[in-house]
Amino acid sequence: MDGMASLIAPIAAAASDALAGFGTAPVPTPPPNRRRRFGIAVRITIGLSVMALLVVLIGGLSMSSFRLFRAEVTALSTNTLPEVITSADLHGSLQKLVAQLPQLAAATSTPQRRSIYDGLVTELDSMQLLVARMRGLFKEGGVADAERDGNVRLLEQTRSTLLILAATVADLNAEVTRQIEYGDRQTEAARGLGRLALSMDSTPDATGAWAVRVGALMARVAGAMQLDHLSRLKGEARAAERTLTDLARIATNTPDPTGPLMATMQEELSSLLVAPGGLFDSAVERLQARNRAQALTAQSRVLVETVERSTRALYDSIRDQSAERTDALADLIAERTRAVMMLAGASVILAVCVYFIFRRFLSSRLVALNRAVLARSSGGASTAPAGPATAPADATAGIPVDGDDEITDIGASIRYFIDEIDRRQRALADNERRFRNLVEGSIQGIIIHREFHAVYANDAFATMLGLSIADVMALPSLLALVPVEERQPLIDNYDQLLAGGLPTQRRRIRARRPDGAGLWVELSGRRVDWMDGPAIQAVVVDVTREVEAENALRQSRDAAERALCALKATQTSLIQAEKMASLGQLVAGVAHEVNTPIGITITGASQLQTLIAELSDRHATAALKKSDFQRFLSDGMEMANLILSNSTRAANLVQSFKMVAVDQSSDERRAFLLRDYIEELLRSLHPTYKSRAALTIAVDCPADLELDGYPGALSQILTNLIMNALIHALDPEMPGRITIAARLAPDDGAGPGAGLVELSVADDGNGIAAEVLPKIFDPFFTTRRGSGGSGLGLHIVYNLVTGRLHGTIAVDSTPAKGTRFTLRFPRVITAA
């Protein structure tokens, strides 16, 4: 009965007002309402109010204590404890810094110096982070007092000192770097001096004095390198310069071959010893760098000592504050605990008093009333089908009604509720019979199942499967009506509905009737309480016709998509064929152009061969004259010049064709000068328009305009635009002009090396009609369909400009005046 009520609940809610009067029993009269001045409710209210007051006092005291405790613990955990830990970490990082500073000053190699400096920078950054963290903790604390202000001042002093220390360490690193660098230079110069000394041992010395002076100089240099006094080292450098001057004078006065050799060695000594970057110069710079490094090291020690004093004072102050807050928290806990214990004892005493009062005036009478109700229920009087007028006379005799308080009213109310329940149960049975007819007559299939075993089904669901309701109820499992692959989602949905209880959205699945026929259904489900436990109610709609219509529509769409793909493939093939045809025309024109210089070269070579044969014959017969030889030289030079000029012409044509053809057939990206590339392209296209004597092609482009992009795409674009002008715009018998202009567009703020290039191809030919102009970039559109035009030339140009060059193309044409194509694209094209 409960399950049917859940099934028909939505319909019953809508029709309850219209059917409220059918089958109802006479309504019993409710008990009268009486007001008393001092009833049970007032007694309970007074007792509970006193207890509630004590509970509120205990709760308020406990909550305030908890809040204070939580605030103090939060302050300790979020501020004080992190402050102590951070200050300790800051002091520990400072100790690492103290240990690494002397190592940096004593570094002797670049890897060692870099490793130590990186460690120092890391520690300094770590200390700055710790200082920043400490500042954040101070700001989060939000309490301003003298001790915290002192801590803030110590922290600011530490931060500023760390900044100065970081700059000092950077300067120290730079000086150590210079010291190592000049030390390496000094070592290299000493090696060069040693090599020079070895070479002098094998040099003949005519005077002997020169070698003695050189030996003394080297010994003095060796001693000077051990000096640590800057002034003495500079004095030794000046003495070495004077000695080198004397050596130069001796070498000048020494005859060859020893004199030039001495001069060469003297120059090498000068470059090794006193020249910029030489031995003395490197030693002076190294000594100066060492002195500065020592000064910076001493300054760093002073700064480190300052930071250490500040951090030690900060750590001691924070630790003392933490101890004070901990002691204050312990005192607070002890004080509040005593107060709560006192209030709890008072509450226990009051609760005992209230218990005895309630037992005397309330609970004993309620127990008696409960026993009477249970006795009446076990007798079955309240479930009798007869109305109140026909009920047994002793149906409510066991309910106590003595006294003049609220319990007496409760007894009267219980008698009234028993009669009302009997009346409503009879009315509910009548309504269920009416609404069952509505559910079973629904055009939608309704099935209620538990673990996919049907417990209810209406006629619409059975008709959908071609079965009777009895056959549906006899099915071992509803899962047998769906394919195997659909079963697991249904099981998951079943578990989800039982666990969550929320209705599910409609879903479409395939199903099959017991006779094997297939069908598509849409179903939605929700959890209901049916009979003796939860079950799932599903509303099922047959949508087989809709699915078949959708499948037919999907097949039509797939056929249209396949036709579109075939059309795109055909278009791609035609575009490739158009490119190959353009390249083929270029090959044919270049081949015809190259044929003439090659023919002249062959003719000149054969004529030169004839002249050589004649000269050889005359020489063999001793009939060779001077005039014959001079004539041979003149004719041979003329033939050689003819062969060279025509060979060069053919080579240039082949080179231009090779560059343009390779670029058109490949997608290679490279940097190139735009003007040179346009001229190379025009040379390769010259065979196609050389017969037009009245045609002029002008190029207006800066010679230093360099592009970084795809020359093949640009070659294809210019070739198509020029051939389009020759075929469609210019009359072969009339004068015509094609202008190719290029320039950098105005600076758009992108910075040096960026910007756009504006390239235009213009002619003064027939122009394009206004009704044709919007269609010129469409694929397969041409005005020369019967004359071999494919309609893909300008379509290819548009795709290359907007795709490969990432640019735009615009056209401006006036009939009988000419056409101008304007391209704008980046000078440096991003990789495709």
Side-chain angles (χ1 to χ4, degrees):
M1 184 176 294
D2 292 338
M4 180 56 67
S6 299
L7 176 63
I8 66 177
I11 305 175
S16 60
D17 293 337
L19 301 177
F22 290 93
T24 58
V27 180
T29 303
N33 293 326
R34 290 177 294 178
R35 301 184 63 183
R36 297 174 177 83
R37 299 175 58 186
F38 194 73
I40 294 177
V42 177
R43 303 170 198 167
I44 295 175
T45 302
I46 293 174
L48 294 179
S49 298
V50 175
M51 293 186 65
L53 180 61
L54 284 176
V55 171
V56 169
L57 289 175
I58 295 174
L61 184 60
S62 300
M63 288 299 296
S64 63
S65 302
F66 175 74
R67 288 174 181 172
L68 290 173
F69 177 73
R70 185 176 62 179
E72 290 297 325
V73 171
T74 302
L76 285 173
S77 60
T78 60
N79 293 102
T80 306
L81 185 59
E83 288 173 1
V84 174
I85 295 174
T86 305
S87 61
D89 292 341
L90 187 63
H91 189 69
S93 297
L94 183 64
Q95 298 305 316
K96 296 179 182 179
L97 191 69
V98 171
Q100 291 179 353
L101 271 174
Q103 298 176 4
L104 178 62
T108 58
S109 64
T110 299
Q112 181 185 9
R113 187 268 311 164
R114 186 179 294 113
S115 174
I116 297 172
Y117 179 67
D118 291 342
L120 285 170
V121 171
T122 302
E123 291 299 331
L124 286 171
D125 292 342
S126 174
M127 294 178 71
Q128 289 288 359
L129 291 175
L130 291 172
V131 170
R133 185 187 305 170
M134 186 75 74
R135 292 179 66 188
L137 292 173
F138 285 165
K139 290 181 179 179
E140 292 175 1
V143 179
D145 52 21
E147 292 183 353
R148 185 167 293 274
D149 292 341
N151 292 342
V152 171
R153 286 193 298 272
L154 286 174
L155 189 62
E156 290 299 324
Q157 179 182 355
T158 302
R159 186 181 68 83
S160 59
T161 308
L162 283 176
L163 293 175
I164 299 173
L165 181 59
T168 305
V169 169
D171 294 340
L172 176 61
N173 177 64
E175 294 301 330
V176 172
T177 301
R178 294 189 187 95
Q179 182 180 351
I180 295 173
E181 178 184 354
Y182 287 117
D184 293 340
R185 290 184 184 179
Q186 182 179 349
T187 303
E188 184 63 28
R191 292 196 189 101
L193 193 62
R195 291 192 296 269
L196 184 61
L198 292 176
S199 64
M200 287 176 57
D201 294 340
S202 60
T203 303
D205 187 2
T207 61
W210 191 84
V212 171
R213 286 176 176 265
V214 170
L217 176 61
M218 289 186 176
R220 190 165 187 175
V221 167
M225 293 302 102
Q226 306 301 321
L227 295 177
D228 287 338
H229 196 278
L230 186 62
S231 299
R232 294 180 59 189
L233 186 59
K234 290 182 178 180
E236 291 294 336
R238 289 191 294 270
E241 289 179 357
R242 291 192 296 271
T243 303
L244 288 171
T245 303
D246 295 339
L247 291 175
R249 185 174 59 256
I250 295 173
T252 303
N253 297 329
T254 303
D256 295 337
T258 306
L261 188 59
M262 291 180 178
T264 301
M265 293 183 178
Q266 187 273 340
E267 292 176 357
E268 293 181 2
L269 283 171
S270 297
S271 63
L272 289 172
L273 296 178
V274 298
L279 192 61
F280 279 104
D281 184 64
S282 299
V284 169
E285 294 293 340
R286 182 184 63 82
L287 192 57
Q288 291 177 345
R290 191 193 67 180
N291 293 339
R292 289 192 294 269
Q294 291 175 350
L296 290 172
T297 302
Q299 182 180 349
S300 300
R301 290 195 186 97
V302 174
L303 293 172
V304 167
E305 292 174 357
T306 303
V307 173
E308 185 175 12
R309 287 193 298 271
S310 300
T311 55
R312 173 57 66 182
L314 182 63
Y315 175 75
D316 293 340
S317 175
I318 293 174
R319 185 181 59 187
D320 294 341
Q321 293 178 15
S322 174
E324 292 175 0
R325 298 193 74 163
T326 304
D327 295 340
L329 179 60
D331 296 339
L332 175 65
I333 293 173
E335 177 186 352
R336 294 304 176 95
T337 301
R338 288 192 296 271
V340 169
M341 292 300 293
M342 293 174 63
L343 288 175
S347 299
V348 171
I349 296 174
L350 179 62
V352 171
C353 296
V354 171
Y355 167 75
F356 285 107
I357 294 173
F358 278 9
R359 183 175 180 180
R360 169 67 182 84
F361 294 102
L362 180 63
S363 61
S364 59
R365 298 179 67 194
L366 290 177
V367 169
L369 181 62
N370 181 59
R371 289 173 180 171
V373 171
L374 291 177
R376 193 269 181 196
S377 299
S378 62
S382 64
T383 60
T390 62
D394 59 346
T396 58
I399 300 176
V401 293
D402 58 325
D404 188 21
D405 53 15
E406 287 85 349
I407 295 180
T408 304
D409 296 339
I410 291 174
S413 299
I414 290 175
R415 288 197 300 271
Y416 169 76
F417 289 146
I418 290 174
D419 296 338
E420 181 68 15
I421 288 172
D422 291 340
R423 182 187 65 82
R424 294 192 179 188
Q425 283 180 345
R426 287 191 296 270
L428 180 61
D430 293 338
N431 290 333
E432 284 187 358
R433 284 193 297 272
R434 291 182 178 90
F435 292 125
R436 181 185 293 272
N437 296 330
L438 294 177
V439 171
E440 292 181 351
S442 173
I443 62 174
Q444 295 181 342
I446 298 176
I447 179 72
I448 299 177
H449 65 89
R450 186 179 291 116
E451 296 291 341
F452 297 99
H453 296 290
V455 295
Y456 172 81
N458 67 351
D459 291 334
F461 183 80
T463 303
M464 191 183 305
L465 297 177
L467 301 173
S468 64
I469 294 179
D471 294 335
V472 173
M473 302 298 290
L475 289 173
S477 175
L478 295 176
L479 292 176
L481 301 176
V482 296
V484 177
E485 61 272 12
E486 297 282 358
R487 295 178 183 177
Q488 188 58 45
L490 289 177
I491 295 173
D492 296 340
N493 188 47
Y494 177 86
D495 296 337
Q496 180 182 356
L497 283 173
L498 285 183
L502 297 177
T504 59
Q505 299 295 328
R506 284 183 175 271
R507 56 179 301 178
R508 181 177 295 180
I509 65 171
R510 290 185 297 112
R512 62 170 177 264
R513 297 185 177 91
D515 59 1
L519 73 158
W520 284 87
V521 297
E522 281 187 355
L523 56 88
S524 61
R526 68 188 186 98
R527 173 180 169 174
V528 296
D529 292 328
W530 183 265
M531 298 300 181
D532 55 349
I536 301 300
Q537 172 196 345
V539 178
V540 186
V541 181
D542 187 354
V543 293
T544 303
R545 293 184 179 180
E546 289 85 344
V547 171
E548 292 174 351
E550 291 176 0
N551 290 335
L553 181 62
R554 188 180 299 107
Q555 292 175 1
S556 300
R557 184 196 63 192
D558 293 342
E561 289 180 350
R562 288 193 296 271
L564 178 60
C565 292
L567 180 61
K568 289 183 177 180
T570 303
Q571 178 180 346
T572 303
S573 300
L574 290 175
I575 290 174
Q576 188 65 25
E578 180 73 13
K579 292 173 65 176
M580 292 298 103
S582 175
L583 189 60
Q585 292 177 0
L586 181 62
V587 171
V590 171
H592 182 272
E593 189 73 12
V594 169
N595 188 48
T596 300
I598 290 179
I600 296 174
T601 301
I602 294 174
T603 302
S606 62
Q607 182 63 30
L608 182 60
Q609 185 179 14
T610 301
L611 292 174
I612 293 174
E614 292 177 356
L615 182 65
S616 178
D617 292 341
R618 293 188 180 184
H619 180 268
T621 57
L624 182 61
K625 299 179 183 179
K626 182 178 181 181
S627 59
D628 296 334
F629 187 73
Q630 290 177 346
R631 186 169 57 256
F632 168 78
L633 292 177
S634 176
D635 294 341
M637 183 60 67
E638 183 179 355
M639 292 299 105
N641 290 335
L642 183 63
I643 292 171
L644 178 61
S645 62
N646 283 276
S647 299
T648 303
R649 179 184 174 193
N652 291 335
L653 286 172
V654 171
Q655 181 65 26
S656 299
F657 165 73
K658 178 180 178 183
M659 178 181 299
V660 174
V662 169
D663 285 338
Q664 286 192 11
S665 60
S666 69
D667 293 333
E668 181 183 359
R669 174 182 175 173
R670 61 184 177 87
F672 59 94
L673 293 174
L674 180 57
R675 182 182 181 89
D676 294 345
Y677 192 78
I678 294 174
E679 292 176 349
E680 291 287 347
L681 177 65
L682 292 178
R683 276 197 293 272
S684 65
L685 293 176
H686 183 262
T688 61
Y689 62 82
K690 70 175 183 177
S691 60
R692 301 191 181 197
L695 176 65
T696 302
I697 298 181
V699 178
D700 181 13
C701 175
D704 59 347
L705 179 55
E706 184 180 22
L707 304 185
D708 186 359
Y710 299 94
L714 185 60
S715 171
Q716 184 73 25
I717 292 168
L718 291 176
T719 299
N720 285 5
L721 292 178
I722 292 172
M723 296 304 297
N724 195 68
L726 294 176
I727 295 172
H728 296 279
L730 300 174
D731 190 346
E733 306 300 330
M734 300 295 294
R737 180 180 180 86
I738 298 176
T739 302
I740 303 174
R743 66 185 182 91
L744 274 176
D747 187 13
D748 58 356
L756 296 176
V757 175
E758 184 176 286
L759 176 63
S760 64
V761 179
D763 63 72
D764 57 355
N766 299 327
I768 303 174
E771 64 274 10
V772 174
L773 194 61
K775 307 175 184 178
I776 60 173
F777 295 119
D778 294 346
F780 308 111
F781 177 78
T782 180
T783 58
R784 297 172 59 89
R785 180 69 65 186
S787 302
S790 66
L792 292 173
L794 290 180
H795 179 63
I796 294 174
V797 170
Y798 180 83
N799 286 339
L800 290 175
V801 172
T802 58
R804 182 55 57 86
L805 300 186
H806 304 294
T808 60
I809 182 171
V811 59
D812 182 18
S813 180
T814 303
K817 291 186 178 181
T819 303
R820 176 184 298 274
F821 290 90
T822 303
L823 288 67
R824 291 174 66 89
F825 53 90
R827 190 186 69 81
V828 179
I829 301 173
T830 57

